[in-house]
Amino acid sequence: MPYTQFSLEQIKLNFGIEIREKFGIFANLSEVDYSDFLEKVLERFVPFALEIDTPKSRSEYITAPILFELKSQLKEQISLFSGKDFTVDIEKGLSGFCDFLISYSSDPLNIEAPFIVLVEAKKDNMIGALGQCMAKMLAAQLFNQRRQQDIQIIYGCVTTGTDWKFLQLIDQRIEIDLQDYSITNLGQVLGILHYCVDQVE
């Protein structure tokens, strides 16, 4: 099955993954400043995206600019991929395309060391997208293991653009942060993304 078909129950059954829920895993991290340019872009386009209210509009006008800001801040430290085929193991069902994928590599053309997976929630259904996000996190973990990439934690995020929910995969355990993070506190969202990058170093 492709990533989009996975549910939480299927993740547990198919991969023997332990799933834990915790509140505020990322809540106390330092905020990160962002550019005036990003602030102006979101000020102008968030209302427009919410008026259209499709996953594509939210992705293009909200999520993508935030990730571009992250890329701009971290320069060659990471690469950002969108809509790229990320088929890792067809037999295990780990196949399909990524919404957004962040790699700890300066290569802008090839996915080399994926460690952050972002999934767009359809119809604002954050919970419904968790299975898909987890499947892509497991694919990233397997991808790195096969290439002997020493990345201990894979991070995941399900987002509507305006709301962000974060997860982390450690060995055979996935932890879900029950707290949702909003772009009304954008510095906090960027702070979490920076933290994820820092853990790979």
Side-chain angles (χ1 to χ4, degrees):
M1 62 175 67
Y3 296 121
T4 53
Q5 300 301 309
F6 276 99
S7 66
L8 293 181
E9 189 62 28
Q10 287 166 329
I11 292 293
K12 292 179 182 178
L13 292 175
N14 290 22
F15 300 99
I17 292 294
E18 176 189 2
I19 298 176
R20 294 182 184 176
E21 297 177 343
K22 297 182 179 181
F23 189 84
I25 295 173
F26 303 95
N28 297 319
L29 300 176
S30 299
E31 297 182 16
V32 169
D33 293 332
Y34 49 92
S35 66
D36 292 338
F37 177 76
L38 177 61
E39 184 174 5
K40 291 176 181 177
V41 166
L42 294 181
E43 183 179 317
R44 180 175 180 182
F45 288 108
V46 167
F48 180 64
L50 297 182
E51 183 179 4
I52 299 173
D53 200 23
T54 64
K56 186 173 178 61
S57 69
R58 288 170 176 264
S59 170
E60 292 179 347
Y61 294 116
I62 308 176
T63 305
I66 293 171
L67 296 180
F68 294 157
E69 175 77 8
L70 179 72
K71 170 62 177 170
S72 177
Q73 291 178 354
L74 297 174
K75 303 187 187 311
E76 301 304 314
Q77 197 170 353
I78 63 170
S79 292
L80 175 63
F81 299 92
S82 175
K84 191 174 179 68
D85 180 63
F86 190 54
T87 297
V88 175
D89 193 316
I90 293 177
E91 291 185 0
K92 293 182 178 180
L94 302 178
S95 63
F97 294 83
C98 62
D99 292 339
F100 291 99
L101 191 68
I102 297 175
S103 173
Y104 194 75
S105 164
S106 60
D107 188 342
L109 300 178
N110 300 294
I111 300 172
E112 289 192 355
F115 72 104
I116 302 178
V117 172
L118 289 97
V119 170
E120 300 163 2
K122 306 300 188 287
K123 299 180 180 180
D124 291 346
N125 186 3
M126 304 261 289
I127 301 301
L130 286 175
Q132 178 184 347
C133 184
M134 290 178 183
K136 292 180 180 181
M137 292 167 69
L138 289 165
Q141 183 186 60
L142 181 59
F143 181 100
N144 291 327
Q145 289 172 348
R146 287 177 174 176
R147 289 159 179 77
Q148 298 182 332
Q149 299 279 4
D150 187 23
I151 297 178
Q152 300 300 313
I153 305 177
I154 302 296
Y155 295 96
C157 176
V158 175
T159 181
T160 63
T162 52
D163 293 309
W164 298 58
K165 179 177 287 295
F166 291 93
L167 308 81
Q168 57 185 10
L169 167 62
I170 306 171
D171 296 325
Q172 289 293 103
R173 182 180 77 251
I174 292 179
E175 297 177 347
I176 306 171
D177 190 339
L178 293 177
Q179 180 171 338
D180 290 345
Y181 300 88
S182 171
I183 63 166
T184 56
N185 190 353
L186 183 54
Q188 185 180 39
V189 172
L190 281 168
I192 296 171
L193 292 171
H194 269 263
Y195 168 83
C196 295
V197 175
D198 291 342
Q199 299 313 296
V200 183
E201 296 179 333

